[in-house]
């Protein structure tokens, strides 16, 4: 059964980017340390990355994140979501207005202008279609940014939350759950690797 999964890396002090985020500095100052596990040669970290991207039938992201990864210093054939692990899932962007043009034309982009709930529904639909076509269960994955993940969890749109907790204190940046409503999660798994602790929670 297709699920909606939020999957994001976060610092020990709760930030998903460092300060001064912008084009050419998409993770903010010091923020790339959050993703050290994803670029590691450690076999357990490689396995977790491969498993995470392999389950992705569709991926949801916000417009700010889209603009960064579509920028000149953003994704390429070598660097991007599952670039070395999987094929190319559908991408659904939550935005107030679709861009007139974009650089990454080789990927399947859908721009949803009617809100987060509709974007998640569109991603679930695409993941279900990908599941039927591939003969295996695939999910809709929310990759960020932080405000999108926070809003989706608060709105009850997420079935499962995976946090890759990096051993770094950023001090400031984009917070993940500041201002979020109270919620009790159900811990499913904890996996410790050299560059992060990987926490998965079910949300009911």
């Amino acid at each position: 059964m297709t699920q909606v999964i939020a999957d994001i890396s976060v610092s020990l002090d709760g930030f998903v980017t460092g300060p001064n985020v912008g084009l050419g500095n998409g993770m903010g100052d010091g923020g790339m340390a959050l993703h050290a596990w994803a670029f590691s040669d450690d076999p357990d970290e490689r396995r977790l990355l491969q498993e995470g991207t392999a389950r992705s039938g569709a991926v949801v992201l916000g417009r700010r994140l889209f603009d960064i990864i579509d920028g000149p210093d953003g994704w390429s054939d070598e660097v991007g979501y599952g670039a070395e692990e999987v094929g190319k899932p559908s991408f659904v962007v939550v935005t107030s207005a679709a861009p007139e043009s974009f650089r990454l034309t080789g990927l399947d982009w859908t721009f949803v202008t009617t809100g987060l709930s509709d974007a998640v529904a569109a991603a679930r639909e695409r993941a279900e279609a990908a599941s039927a076509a591939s003969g295996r269960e695939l999910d809709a994955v929310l990759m960020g940014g932080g405000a999108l993940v926070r809003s989706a969890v608060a709105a009850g749109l997420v079935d499962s939350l995976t946090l890759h907790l990096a051993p770094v204190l950023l001090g400031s940046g984009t917070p993940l759950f500041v201002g979020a409503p109270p919620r009790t999660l159900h811990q499913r798994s904890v996996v410790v690797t050299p560059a992060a602790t990987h926490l998965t929670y079910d949300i009911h």
Side-chain angles (χ1 to χ4, degrees):
M1 177 180 173
T2 294
Q3 289 195 316
V4 176
I5 298 174
D7 188 308
I8 196 165
S9 296
V10 62
S11 68
L12 286 174
D13 49 352
F15 296 100
V16 296
T17 75
N20 302 314
V21 171
L23 293 177
N25 191 32
M27 289 303 301
D29 298 343
M32 282 304 297
L34 301 179
H35 296 280
W37 71 273
F39 296 96
S40 168
D41 291 328
D42 178 81
D44 288 330
E45 290 173 339
R46 297 301 301 171
R47 175 181 57 80
L48 287 171
L49 181 66
Q50 290 165 357
E51 290 175 353
T53 52
R55 76 180 180 223
S56 303
V59 178
V60 183
L61 63 154
R63 178 58 185 269
R64 183 178 182 183
L65 181 55
F66 168 80
D67 286 341
I68 289 171
I69 64 179
D70 190 55
D73 298 317
W75 285 358
S76 65
D77 289 340
E78 292 75 34
V79 177
Y81 191 92
E84 297 179 359
E85 285 78 29
V86 296
K88 298 177 180 178
S90 298
F91 292 91
V92 178
V93 181
V94 187
T95 181
S96 59
E100 293 183 4
S101 63
F102 49 90
R103 179 178 63 87
L104 296 171
T105 56
L107 298 177
D108 176 16
W109 297 102
T110 298
F111 299 93
V112 175
T113 60
T114 52
L116 177 58
S117 180
D118 286 346
V120 171
R124 187 192 291 272
E125 184 177 290
R126 283 159 176 74
E128 288 172 346
S131 296
S134 66
R136 57 193 179 92
E137 291 188 359
L138 299 172
D139 297 314
V141 179
L142 279 60
M143 66 172 287
L148 182 145
V149 169
R150 177 171 63 250
S151 297
V153 171
L157 301 174
V158 177
D159 300 309
S160 177
L161 171 67
T162 295
L163 300 177
H164 307 282
L165 188 62
V168 59
L169 299 171
L170 292 175
S172 63
T174 305
L176 182 55
F177 285 127
V178 171
R183 191 150 211 158
T184 299
L185 309 183
H186 301 273
Q187 185 168 284
R188 188 199 310 165
S189 67
V190 178
V191 178
V192 179
T193 63
T197 299
H198 310 270
L199 307 164
T200 298
Y201 302 93
D202 291 322
I203 303 177
H204 299 293

